[in-house]
Amino acid sequence: MGFGRNPHVAKAEAAEQAALIAKDASAYERAWREAGRLWERAADRETDSKRKAQYTEKAEQARATADEPPPESSPAVG
């Protein structure tokens, strides 16, 4: 990580990836809530207003996704 980089962005992206591969509904919800919290922290640290708004929007979107049921996995063939 270089100087001037916002470390919470990478953490939030990793939390989103964890949500996408979550095995159950509670893990899915926790991962999205964590992503929302990390996007909020990224927005708090950001000095550029455009990126700050983008991170805030991603935080709201992650929290909204956490409130939705997880997508159904593809049905097994057989």
Side-chain angles (χ1 to χ4, degrees), residues 30-47:
R30 276 193 312 272
W32 277 115
R33 293 210 186 281
E34 178 67 6
R37 186 182 69 80
L38 290 166
W39 281 121
E40 192 68 37
R41 290 189 70 186
D44 289 344
R45 286 190 62 156
E46 193 56 58
T47 56

Side-chain angles (χ1 to χ4, degrees), residues 5-69:
R5 293 220 166 185
N6 191 331
H8 300 293
V9 172
K11 292 176 184 179
E13 290 170 344
E16 286 181 349
Q17 287 295 341
L20 295 175
I21 62 171
K23 301 284 187 207
D24 59 42
S26 63
Y28 175 85
E29 181 182 351
R30 276 193 312 272
W32 277 115
R33 293 210 186 281
E34 178 67 6
R37 186 182 69 80
L38 290 166
W39 281 121
E40 192 68 37
R41 290 189 70 186
D44 289 344
R45 286 190 62 156
E46 193 56 58
T47 56
D48 180 39
S49 61
K50 185 176 179 181
R51 279 194 300 248
K52 186 173 191 144
Q54 180 184 15
Y55 297 162
T56 300
E57 182 179 325
K58 286 185 178 207
E60 292 169 3
Q61 183 179 10
R63 289 187 187 109
T65 304
D67 292 336
E68 298 172 359

